[in-house]
Amino acid sequence: MLSVGIIGSTGYGGQELVRLLHQHPNVEKIALTSKSYAGHPYSSVYKSFYKIVDVHCQPEDMQQLAEDVDVIFLALPHGLAAEKVTPDVLEQAKVIDLGADFRLKDAAIYEQWYGLAHPRASLLAKAVYGLPEFFKTDIQNARLIGNPGCYPTASILSTAPLVKEGLIDPATLIIDAKSGVSGAGRTLSLDLHFDEVHGSFKAYKIASHRHTPEIEQGLGLIGHLGVNTPNISFTPHLVPMNRGILTTGYAQLIQKISAKEILALYEKTYISQPFVRVLPEGASPETRWVKGSNYCDIGITVDERTNRVIAVAAIDNLVKGAAGQGIQNMNLISGLPETTGLEQLPVFPA
Amino acid sequence: MLSVGIIGSTGYGGQELVRLLHQHPNVEKIALTSKSYAGHPYSSVYKSFYKIVDVHCQPEDMQQLAEDVDVIFLALPHGLAAEKVTPDVLEQAKVIDLGADFRLKDAAIYEQWYGLAHPRASLLAKAVYGLPEFFKTDIQNARLIGNPGCYPTASILSTAPLVKEGLIDPATLIIDAKSGVSGAGRTLSLDLHFDEVHGSFKAYKIASHRHTPEIEQGLGLIGHLGVNTPNISFTPHLVPMNRGILTTGYAQLIQKISAKEILALYEKTYISQPFVRVLPEGASPETRWVKGSNYCDIGITVDERTNRVIAVAAIDNLVKGAAGQGIQNMNLISGLPETTGLEQLPVFPA
Amino acid sequence: MLSVGIIGSTGYGGQELVRLLHQHPNVEKIALTSKSYAGHPYSSVYKSFYKIVDVHCQPEDMQQLAEDVDVIFLALPHGLAAEKVTPDVLEQAKVIDLGADFRLKDAAIYEQWYGLAHPRASLLAKAVYGLPEFFKTDIQNARLIGNPGCYPTASILSTAPLVKEGLIDPATLIIDAKSGVSGAGRTLSLDLHFDEVHGSFKAYKIASHRHTPEIEQGLGLIGHLGVNTPNISFTPHLVPMNRGILTTGYAQLIQKISAKEILALYEKTYISQPFVRVLPEGASPETRWVKGSNYCDIGITVDERTNRVIAVAAIDNLVKGAAGQGIQNMNLISGLPETTGLEQLPVFPA
Amino acid sequence: MLSVGIIGSTGYGGQELVRLLHQHPNVEKIALTSKSYAGHPYSSVYKSFYKIVDVHCQPEDMQQLAEDVDVIFLALPHGLAAEKVTPDVLEQAKVIDLGADFRLKDAAIYEQWYGLAHPRASLLAKAVYGLPEFFKTDIQNARLIGNPGCYPTASILSTAPLVKEGLIDPATLIIDAKSGVSGAGRTLSLDLHFDEVHGSFKAYKIASHRHTPEIEQGLGLIGHLGVNTPNISFTPHLVPMNRGILTTGYAQLIQKISAKEILALYEKTYISQPFVRVLPEGASPETRWVKGSNYCDIGITVDERTNRVIAVAAIDNLVKGAAGQGIQNMNLISGLPETTGLEQLPVFPA
């Protein structure tokens, strides 16, 4: 049985961890910490947990937590997580960072996109990018996991086979991504005020979103292209709904190939991956079919007129895009079956 | 281990049953029937089940099902369910009707509100009203359950202690109820077309909704007032969201009493009921805190100026208001702990 | 031609005033003031006005504004508006307060519900309650208007004929009200964060909302019952949509009367009121049919089983519930036809 | 003063025409026809028009209408409109088709994408593509207008200057488009049932949507590239909201150029176009800022890492994407100022 701690348990990602860990058959203890809500019952922060998780939030004490638990989840803004992870901590506990601090391998790229020097650059070499579908063995042997971003999870899973098999010109890859609002977190902002979002749609951070280099790195590693190739264009959009990400990827095919052939390749790639569902020809993912679950649905279309492939993926941004994938990683580093505690079916309509 | 069959498995209530039964530890087999989709894979009707529940829907054959399974769920429009239930069927299998046919005890009232003679009036005496919080022993001994309606579940649970303890004048009871759209089902109608509902709010079936006599009967039985007393006014409203019911009940208090005292009474009433959460003084239920779960949250306010009590309840209409309560009843009639397979925590934000 | 100034032009009510005044044929100048955005182009605060209303917001200078314009709108939180209105100001300009400071006639009731001594109690006798359907002549002669609250507008218009004609027992009146989120304003709060509201429904401020005494006063005045009678129970709810209020009123009828007869009475009451639409028997208001317009739709049902009347109203909370009604009042105090600049048809689907 | 008739007045596009025409200062008569609702009051089909447009719908009699009115709007599914337009009709009245039948110049392309032989191919040469920003003179002299599709309007307006000035390689153009649900019309379909859409996001008709050749033709004509060049990839998505389209266009720049320079070019292109708002550098369109209005907002970003330009446009699909643009065309063919009756400001929040 595992004991687990969460630093930053009161954000949307944190509370999704609590929901899933509470139902996990191999987790016997969950320590919840919070800077803003220390001393308050967890169920006063999220009333869904009333009479279920009424324990009080503890102050954020990383050192103490490392002594007390087997696995620590960090659900903090970038910069703040890396500070807390020391070689000492890593000797005592395994760490899974849901934030951005241990995803990029290159401290210079981190600094360029995140605008600060990496607080623990020396640990980057030890950190493993926690995308189990492609880096499972590394994850199983790791003590420090950089849990993938929500957009990169869908973007990489839906296009990696194209890059890996050399089917597309990686210089032509464009990812047009759309996310529900929970991806932006619980911190107040006029942009997330109900009336400003409901009934509206927009693009944001065009050509400047921090998930861009993470997608490039992931595809580069999987496709043996080097960390910074291909150079993609990535545009996120905000959808007036709570949960769900859909990514639409476009790339020029190098030679003629049918959707059926590409799908066969995807099926082969993901045959042993329990959470990737490659849809049959003609079907296209929708976020409603994965909500509340750890699935990533993928659909492929070939635009024969332009010889482009269009690869679409749908995930629940808080599950496969954050907490669920984090638990998938926890299972792997703990020697448990990957799917343990993650068998929840999608909830529809929700 | 139980084997279970569903007649009408492709409506919203039916698919919620499938979701919950699939994760139920004591259910080994689920037979899915459908009139419209017989021969089609269930996952083509609800793509959330792709690679999970790909079995084909069978034709609706009640007799065959009764031979094959232990428990049959009916999720059909009123009138159609009662026809299918014969004494023969009931000898072979236990039946839980999610629809309206076996809720009312009095065939004349059924005919008055539903506009047709009851097809199996002779079985009404054997049917038990499946509200476990008040009729648990009867349910445990029953072979035919009328699973409560979504509105009555919230309405009765939130006001029954007031009636039972004689705190209110039952002639003054008003229930103003609000439901998400999934309560109206999957059948196409202009009133449920996206653009007609989104961004709008309305009342419907004012003073004429069929759940009215069911609430009256439930409160009458619990309060020993007889089936048709009190005479309530019940107004349902449509909320532009998928799931959730909130009921706001008003009644004149017979004497001065504080919210605190009333809450103590509620706590006592529901102390052994695992799915009712009586909220502390000053807190009020919201549908977001119960979504995807079998909980019913209840809050009480006393309006001292007018000496009225206002009782608010929130449920997920597809879980505690339909499929979840159905499984709670299945557990009880099968000798299982009431909560088996129903421990899912609420999903938020969703 | 009128010149108009707005104090607090950057809230939702303020911007709706700007939208409507900009299209008003008799308004030649609009001075926009803002505490938070002084010096910024108005169109940077609401980008809908880009290339249309690009003028810069001025600081809030009531005295200056009173010299410069004919009519001043106040769109400020309660307490702040009253302070700004002096006898001096009222000599120079007419004032319409969209907020709560000049609605209640009795300073003691104001203090009791708003928790502060009224800053200009001496002016209350001069202020007219700006509900044109019942107080038109007073409004035409006024220099200071307390523009009705959004909930009271719908609540009073839909029940006043019942009270006035003595059809109901005023002690039994209950108003169950539901509002879109824009009624809560643009100030940030976790309760108005998109993910906390979307897909959820709740009651709030049960038995304690400040619009309660305003409804009681309005009905009391119209029904000649005195300011504080009847004593109503009022419960507001939050609907996950931007605009729209629906109120559902319940009261015990004193004698038997049909919906048809009541409707005839309503038709007679509102025959000359251009913005009230009494719906035919069997029809019920929906917020979608009034969105963006100044209409108030009213529907009446009689629950014969309980001898109750159920009166439902729908308005756009930002138009008839705030800015539109404000302009209706501006027209009246300026000698213009009541409907000037308010002929916009409802926008559907929106 | 104009008299106007509408064939197919009871779809969403038709009712938006009615809303706008009713408020148009130069329209004195509106004849409403409907196949499904002939004989019913228009306000029974859309209750927003109650007591405003209560006239009864007439049967669809094109010949009669041509005799009675100056301008006929067709708001019908493709195929049905073309049939009704005869040379005879065009002699008596001017015709604006909101549908797809007179947009494509090449009957073969029409047949290829719409799957039927064009019913009036002989009239295609006379029809003018009604995008006023680029074809104003032709429109002014036309008697038959093919009103642009909703997606093409936003797609073309946001990318045409790039094509026309030769800034991009037209072979690299990708349009990723997102629409509110009203674009799909009022005809019932499970895909448009509230619970299937709300809280979800999807792509549809990937690489096969019929607006693709229309965008190609529009850009081809404007860019002097011939009707079928460039070959774009076009992917529409469904957003869970009522109104609004956002298009995100991607193309490879031929040489280095800054966003500022491109924006200057856009400003120049659209300087005399009253309904196009080119946003300043760094700003990006959002559908909320144009809702209910005839504006098209455009924003430009250059992705310097990849030397791509990203062009985003937002429109209200029922106004600039359908009825509003239709009235803009009506004004032009009638010798009226282009903006007549179209000055409504955006409605926010809605």
Side-chain angles (χ1 to χ4, degrees):
Chain A
M1 295 297 281
L2 292 170
S3 70
V4 180
I6 305 175
I7 300 276
S9 67
T10 56
Y12 288 144
Q15 66 95 29
E16 188 73 355
L17 275 174
V18 177
R19 179 175 80 89
L20 294 170
L21 289 170
H22 185 81
Q23 304 176 78
H24 193 291
N26 296 80
V27 171
E28 63 179 347
K29 183 190 147 188
I30 312 170
L32 303 176
T33 77
S34 166
K35 217 165 156 178
S36 323
Y37 295 101
H40 292 78
Y42 194 74
S43 59
S44 73
V45 187
Y46 289 99
K47 296 182 181 173
S48 41
F49 293 103
Y50 184 58
K51 297 198 175 171
I52 302 165
V53 183
D54 291 319
V55 294
H56 287 60
C57 298
Q58 308 168 18
E60 285 183 2
D61 184 337
M62 186 73 172
Q63 200 54 51
Q64 186 61 50
L65 214 56
E67 289 168 29
D68 293 352
V69 305
D70 303 310
V71 180
I72 298 173
F73 284 98
L74 293 162
L76 295 176
H78 69 267
L80 300 184
E83 274 180 16
K84 293 196 183 287
V85 184
T86 60
D88 244 37
V89 159
L90 285 180
E91 270 179 38
Q92 294 178 288
K94 295 172 181 173
V95 171
I96 299 171
D97 180 17
L98 293 197
D101 282 356
F102 295 103
R103 295 173 189 160
L104 296 175
K105 310 250 168 246
D106 183 334
I109 294 181
Y110 180 91
E111 184 166 354
Q112 176 192 335
W113 287 84
Y114 288 88
L116 78 168
H118 197 288
R120 298 277 177 213
S122 61
L123 289 178
L124 289 180
K126 292 196 177 168
V128 170
Y129 189 64
L131 191 66
E133 286 75 10
F134 288 101
F135 306 106
K136 200 164 295 180
T137 311
D138 290 347
I139 293 166
Q140 284 166 326
N141 298 316
R143 296 190 69 82
L144 175 57
I145 304 283
N147 208 59
C150 49
Y151 285 126
T153 296
S155 302
I156 296 171
L157 289 176
S158 57
T159 59
L162 301 171
V163 175
K164 193 176 179 189
E165 305 292 326
L167 298 181
I168 59 167
D169 174 359
T172 64
L173 189 58
I174 287 167
I175 309 275
D176 191 283
K178 301 88 177 175
S179 176
V181 183
S182 62
R186 212 186 197 194
T187 305
L188 298 189
S189 137
L190 184 55
D191 281 349
L192 304 176
H193 195 68
F194 182 84
D195 289 292
E196 309 288 319
V197 173
H198 187 69
S200 189
F201 189 85
K202 67 171 177 179
Y204 66 98
K205 294 192 186 160
I206 303 173
S208 61
H209 194 282
R210 286 159 170 166
H211 285 172
T212 311
E214 184 184 338
I215 300 169
E216 291 175 351
Q217 169 184 289
L219 292 175
L221 290 174
I222 294 165
H224 310 294
L225 298 173
V227 162
N228 298 320
T229 311
N231 265 29
I232 67 163
S233 285
F234 174 72
T235 310
H237 299 74
L238 194 70
V239 186
M241 62 184 189
N242 290 325
R243 284 181 181 231
I245 278 181
L246 193 104
T247 59
T248 312
Y250 301 86
Q252 208 68 39
L253 287 164
I254 281 175
Q255 53 185 64
K256 272 209 163 311
I257 182 169
S258 69
K260 190 187 294 292
E261 290 168 287
I262 299 178
L263 284 165
L265 193 76
Y266 273 66
E267 281 287 5
K268 210 180 93 190
T269 305
Y270 293 122
I271 187 77
S272 308
Q273 307 304 333
F275 294 118
V276 176
R277 300 193 293 192
V278 179
L279 303 187
E281 198 181 351
S284 187
E286 310 186 21
T287 64
R288 60 177 161 154
W289 302 130
V290 299
K291 194 178 286 185
S293 82
N294 203 45
Y295 290 105
C296 175
D297 283 3
I298 299 177
I300 295 293
T301 308
V302 169
D303 185 353
E304 296 183 1
R305 298 166 65 251
T306 62
N307 205 33
R308 285 200 190 95
V309 60
I310 295 127
V312 177
I315 60 169
D316 182 318
N317 58 300
L318 292 179
V319 189
K320 184 61 177 166
Q325 186 148 262
I327 290 171
Q328 197 178 349
N329 282 315
M330 179 193 80
N331 289 339
L332 289 170
I333 61 174
S334 308
L336 296 169
E338 192 171 356
T339 56
T340 313
L342 292 172
E343 302 88 347
Q344 289 87 355
L345 299 197
V347 180
F348 173 82
Chain B
M1 295 295 280
L2 293 170
S3 70
V4 180
I6 306 175
I7 300 276
S9 67
T10 56
Y12 288 145
Q15 67 96 29
E16 188 73 355
L17 274 175
V18 178
R19 179 175 80 87
L20 294 171
L21 289 170
H22 184 81
Q23 304 175 79
H24 193 289
N26 295 79
V27 171
E28 64 180 347
K29 183 190 147 188
I30 313 170
L32 303 176
T33 78
S34 167
K35 216 166 159 177
S36 323
Y37 295 100
H40 292 78
Y42 194 73
S43 57
S44 73
V45 186
Y46 290 99
K47 295 181 181 173
S48 41
F49 292 104
Y50 184 58
K51 297 199 175 171
I52 302 165
V53 183
D54 290 319
V55 294
H56 286 61
C57 298
Q58 308 169 19
E60 284 182 1
D61 184 337
M62 187 72 172
Q63 199 54 50
Q64 185 63 49
L65 213 56
E67 289 168 28
D68 293 351
V69 304
D70 303 309
V71 179
I72 297 174
F73 285 98
L74 293 162
L76 294 176
H78 67 265
L80 300 185
E83 272 179 18
K84 293 194 183 289
V85 183
T86 61
D88 242 38
V89 159
L90 283 180
E91 271 179 39
Q92 294 179 290
K94 296 172 181 172
V95 172
I96 300 170
D97 179 16
L98 294 196
D101 282 356
F102 294 103
R103 294 174 189 159
L104 296 175
K105 310 250 166 245
D106 183 334
I109 294 181
Y110 180 91
E111 184 165 353
Q112 174 191 336
W113 287 84
Y114 288 88
L116 78 168
H118 197 289
R120 298 279 175 211
S122 60
L123 289 177
L124 287 180
K126 292 196 176 167
V128 170
Y129 189 63
L131 191 66
E133 286 75 10
F134 288 101
F135 306 107
K136 199 163 297 179
T137 310
D138 290 346
I139 293 167
Q140 284 166 327
N141 297 318
R143 294 191 71 81
L144 174 58
I145 303 283
N147 208 58
C150 49
Y151 284 127
T153 296
S155 302
I156 296 172
L157 289 176
S158 57
T159 59
L162 300 171
V163 175
K164 194 177 178 188
E165 304 293 326
L167 297 181
I168 59 167
D169 173 359
T172 65
L173 188 57
I174 287 167
I175 308 275
D176 190 282
K178 301 89 177 177
S179 176
V181 183
S182 62
R186 212 186 196 194
T187 305
L188 297 189
S189 136
L190 184 56
D191 282 348
L192 304 176
H193 195 68
F194 183 84
D195 290 291
E196 309 288 319
V197 174
H198 188 68
S200 190
F201 189 86
K202 67 171 177 181
Y204 66 98
K205 294 191 186 162
I206 304 172
S208 61
H209 194 282
R210 287 159 170 165
H211 284 173
T212 310
E214 184 184 338
I215 301 170
E216 291 176 350
Q217 168 184 289
L219 292 175
L221 289 174
I222 294 165
H224 310 293
L225 299 172
V227 163
N228 298 321
T229 310
N231 264 29
I232 67 162
S233 284
F234 173 72
T235 310
H237 299 74
L238 193 70
V239 186
M241 62 184 189
N242 290 326
R243 282 181 184 233
I245 277 181
L246 193 105
T247 58
T248 312
Y250 300 86
Q252 207 68 37
L253 286 164
I254 280 177
Q255 53 185 64
K256 273 210 162 312
I257 181 169
S258 69
K260 190 186 295 292
E261 290 168 288
I262 298 178
L263 284 165
L265 194 74
Y266 273 66
E267 280 287 4
K268 209 180 93 191
T269 305
Y270 293 122
I271 188 77
S272 308
Q273 306 304 333
F275 294 117
V276 174
R277 300 193 294 192
V278 179
L279 302 188
E281 197 181 352
S284 187
E286 309 186 23
T287 65
R288 58 176 162 154
W289 302 130
V290 299
K291 194 178 286 185
S293 82
N294 203 46
Y295 289 105
C296 175
D297 283 1
I298 299 176
I300 295 293
T301 308
V302 168
D303 184 352
E304 295 184 2
R305 298 167 64 251
T306 62
N307 204 32
R308 284 200 190 94
V309 59
I310 295 128
V312 177
I315 60 168
D316 182 319
N317 57 300
L318 291 179
V319 188
K320 183 62 177 169
Q325 187 147 263
I327 290 171
Q328 196 178 349
N329 282 315
M330 178 192 81
N331 290 338
L332 289 169
I333 60 174
S334 308
L336 295 169
E338 191 172 358
T339 57
T340 314
L342 292 172
E343 302 89 345
Q344 289 87 356
L345 300 196
V347 180
F348 174 81
Chain C
M1 295 295 281
L2 293 170
S3 70
V4 180
I6 305 175
I7 300 277
S9 67
T10 56
Y12 288 144
Q15 67 94 29
E16 188 73 354
L17 275 175
V18 177
R19 180 175 80 90
L20 294 170
L21 289 169
H22 185 81
Q23 303 176 78
H24 193 290
N26 296 79
V27 170
E28 65 180 347
K29 184 190 145 186
I30 313 170
L32 303 176
T33 77
S34 167
K35 217 166 158 179
S36 323
Y37 295 100
H40 292 79
Y42 194 73
S43 58
S44 73
V45 186
Y46 289 99
K47 295 183 181 172
S48 42
F49 293 104
Y50 184 58
K51 296 199 176 172
I52 302 165
V53 183
D54 291 318
V55 295
H56 287 60
C57 298
Q58 307 169 19
E60 285 183 0
D61 183 336
M62 186 74 172
Q63 200 53 51
Q64 187 61 50
L65 212 56
E67 289 169 29
D68 292 352
V69 305
D70 303 310
V71 179
I72 297 173
F73 284 98
L74 293 161
L76 294 176
H78 69 266
L80 300 184
E83 273 180 16
K84 293 194 184 288
V85 183
T86 62
D88 244 36
V89 159
L90 284 180
E91 271 178 39
Q92 294 179 289
K94 294 172 181 172
V95 172
I96 299 170
D97 180 17
L98 294 197
D101 282 356
F102 295 103
R103 294 174 189 159
L104 296 175
K105 310 249 167 246
D106 183 333
I109 294 180
Y110 179 90
E111 185 166 351
Q112 175 191 337
W113 287 84
Y114 287 88
L116 78 169
H118 196 289
R120 297 279 176 212
S122 61
L123 289 178
L124 288 180
K126 292 196 176 167
V128 169
Y129 189 64
L131 190 67
E133 286 75 10
F134 287 101
F135 306 107
K136 200 163 295 180
T137 311
D138 290 347
I139 293 166
Q140 283 166 329
N141 298 317
R143 295 190 70 82
L144 175 58
I145 303 283
N147 209 59
C150 49
Y151 285 126
T153 296
S155 302
I156 296 171
L157 289 176
S158 57
T159 59
L162 300 172
V163 175
K164 194 178 178 188
E165 304 293 327
L167 297 181
I168 59 167
D169 173 358
T172 65
L173 187 58
I174 287 167
I175 309 276
D176 190 282
K178 300 88 175 176
S179 176
V181 183
S182 62
R186 213 186 197 196
T187 305
L188 298 188
S189 135
L190 183 56
D191 281 348
L192 304 175
H193 195 69
F194 182 84
D195 289 292
E196 310 287 319
V197 174
H198 187 67
S200 189
F201 189 85
K202 67 170 177 181
Y204 66 100
K205 293 190 187 163
I206 302 172
S208 62
H209 193 282
R210 287 158 171 168
H211 284 173
T212 310
E214 184 184 339
I215 300 169
E216 291 176 350
Q217 169 184 289
L219 292 175
L221 290 173
I222 293 164
H224 311 291
L225 298 173
V227 162
N228 298 322
T229 309
N231 265 29
I232 67 163
S233 285
F234 173 71
T235 310
H237 299 74
L238 193 71
V239 187
M241 62 183 188
N242 290 325
R243 282 180 183 233
I245 278 180
L246 193 104
T247 58
T248 311
Y250 300 85
Q252 207 67 39
L253 287 164
I254 280 175
Q255 53 186 65
K256 272 213 163 308
I257 181 170
S258 70
K260 190 187 295 292
E261 290 167 287
I262 298 178
L263 284 165
L265 193 77
Y266 272 65
E267 281 287 4
K268 210 180 93 192
T269 305
Y270 293 121
I271 187 79
S272 309
Q273 307 304 333
F275 295 118
V276 175
R277 300 194 293 193
V278 179
L279 302 188
E281 196 181 351
S284 186
E286 308 186 22
T287 65
R288 59 177 162 154
W289 303 128
V290 299
K291 195 178 283 186
S293 83
N294 203 45
Y295 290 105
C296 175
D297 283 2
I298 299 176
I300 295 292
T301 307
V302 169
D303 185 352
E304 296 183 2
R305 297 167 64 251
T306 62
N307 205 32
R308 286 201 189 92
V309 59
I310 296 128
V312 177
I315 60 169
D316 182 320
N317 58 302
L318 292 179
V319 188
K320 185 60 176 168
Q325 186 147 264
I327 290 171
Q328 196 178 347
N329 282 316
M330 179 193 81
N331 289 337
L332 289 169
I333 63 174
S334 307
L336 295 169
E338 191 172 356
T339 58
T340 315
L342 292 172
E343 302 90 347
Q344 290 87 355
L345 300 196
V347 180
F348 173 82
Chain D
M1 295 296 281
L2 293 170
S3 70
V4 180
I6 306 176
I7 300 276
S9 66
T10 55
Y12 288 144
Q15 67 93 30
E16 188 73 355
L17 275 174
V18 177
R19 180 176 78 89
L20 294 170
L21 289 169
H22 185 82
Q23 304 176 78
H24 193 290
N26 296 80
V27 171
E28 65 179 348
K29 184 190 146 187
I30 313 170
L32 303 176
T33 78
S34 167
K35 217 165 157 179
S36 324
Y37 295 100
H40 292 79
Y42 194 74
S43 58
S44 73
V45 186
Y46 289 100
K47 296 182 181 171
S48 41
F49 292 103
Y50 185 58
K51 297 199 175 171
I52 302 166
V53 182
D54 291 317
V55 294
H56 287 59
C57 298
Q58 308 169 19
E60 284 182 3
D61 183 337
M62 186 74 171
Q63 199 54 51
Q64 187 61 48
L65 212 57
E67 288 168 28
D68 293 353
V69 305
D70 304 309
V71 180
I72 298 174
F73 284 97
L74 293 162
L76 294 176
H78 68 266
L80 300 184
E83 274 180 16
K84 294 194 182 289
V85 184
T86 62
D88 243 38
V89 159
L90 284 180
E91 269 179 39
Q92 294 178 290
K94 295 173 181 172
V95 172
I96 299 170
D97 179 17
L98 294 197
D101 282 356
F102 295 104
R103 295 174 189 160
L104 296 175
K105 310 249 166 245
D106 183 334
I109 294 180
Y110 180 91
E111 185 167 352
Q112 175 192 336
W113 286 84
Y114 288 88
L116 78 168
H118 197 288
R120 297 280 176 211
S122 61
L123 289 177
L124 288 181
K126 291 196 177 167
V128 169
Y129 189 63
L131 190 67
E133 287 74 11
F134 288 101
F135 306 106
K136 200 164 294 179
T137 311
D138 290 347
I139 293 166
Q140 284 166 327
N141 298 316
R143 295 190 70 81
L144 175 56
I145 303 283
N147 208 58
C150 49
Y151 285 126
T153 296
S155 302
I156 296 171
L157 289 176
S158 57
T159 60
L162 300 170
V163 175
K164 193 177 179 190
E165 303 294 327
L167 296 181
I168 59 167
D169 174 359
T172 64
L173 188 57
I174 287 166
I175 308 276
D176 190 282
K178 299 89 177 175
S179 176
V181 182
S182 63
R186 212 186 198 196
T187 305
L188 298 188
S189 135
L190 184 56
D191 282 347
L192 304 176
H193 195 68
F194 182 84
D195 290 291
E196 310 288 319
V197 174
H198 187 69
S200 189
F201 189 86
K202 67 171 177 179
Y204 65 99
K205 293 191 186 161
I206 303 173
S208 62
H209 194 281
R210 287 157 170 168
H211 284 173
T212 310
E214 184 184 339
I215 300 170
E216 290 175 350
Q217 169 183 288
L219 292 175
L221 290 173
I222 294 165
H224 310 294
L225 298 173
V227 162
N228 298 321
T229 311
N231 265 29
I232 67 162
S233 285
F234 174 72
T235 310
H237 299 74
L238 194 71
V239 187
M241 63 184 187
N242 289 325
R243 283 181 183 232
I245 278 180
L246 193 104
T247 59
T248 311
Y250 300 86
Q252 207 68 38
L253 287 164
I254 280 175
Q255 53 185 65
K256 272 212 162 311
I257 182 169
S258 69
K260 190 185 295 291
E261 290 168 287
I262 297 177
L263 284 165
L265 193 76
Y266 272 67
E267 279 288 3
K268 211 179 92 190
T269 304
Y270 292 121
I271 187 76
S272 308
Q273 306 305 333
F275 294 118
V276 175
R277 301 194 293 193
V278 179
L279 302 188
E281 198 182 350
S284 187
E286 309 186 22
T287 65
R288 60 177 161 154
W289 302 130
V290 299
K291 194 178 285 186
S293 82
N294 203 44
Y295 290 106
C296 175
D297 283 1
I298 299 176
I300 295 293
T301 307
V302 168
D303 185 353
E304 295 184 1
R305 299 167 63 252
T306 62
N307 205 33
R308 286 201 189 93
V309 59
I310 296 128
V312 177
I315 61 169
D316 182 320
N317 57 301
L318 291 179
V319 189
K320 184 62 177 167
Q325 187 147 263
I327 290 172
Q328 197 178 348
N329 282 316
M330 178 193 80
N331 289 338
L332 289 169
I333 62 175
S334 308
L336 294 169
E338 192 172 356
T339 57
T340 314
L342 292 172
E343 302 88 346
Q344 290 86 355
L345 299 196
V347 180
F348 173 81

